[in-house]
Amino acid sequence: PVLAEKTPGRRTLLDVGCGFGFAVDYWQRIHGGEAVGVELAHYGAVGARMLGITVHDRMLQDEPALAGRRFDVVYA
């Protein structure tokens, strides 16, 4: 589904339940915009380290870094 986003410009992505974080990594590399993931399972942290991306390991509503944030695209 992130391949369908064709709006020009640098847009932001929030991937809720991002798993390993491949969509977050893809978004940053191909679209050039900021991308953030949320994944409670351990492999989210592993993916964050291996891919060099941001993946939070708390429930969305409990993550202070995302409080009040707005994103152009939310993938869940």
Side-chain angles (χ1 to χ4, degrees), residues 55-71:
V55 177
H56 299 285
D57 62 355
R58 296 183 188 165
M59 295 290 286
L60 182 61
Q61 66 271 17
D62 297 333
E63 179 52 56
L66 299 177
R69 291 278 318 263
R70 291 177 159 242
F71 292 87

Side-chain angles (χ1 to χ4, degrees), residues 8-53:
R10 294 177 55 119
R11 297 170 52 81
T12 57
L13 170 78
L14 173 63
D15 186 357
V16 181
C18 70
F20 195 79
F22 291 120
V24 174
D25 182 59
Y26 170 86
W27 189 269
Q28 290 181 161
R29 291 175 189 266
I30 302 303
H31 290 278
E34 179 189 8
V36 175
V38 175
E39 179 57 61
L40 302 181
H42 175 68
Y43 50 79
V46 174
R49 282 193 310 273
M50 292 182 75
L51 298 172
I53 59 174

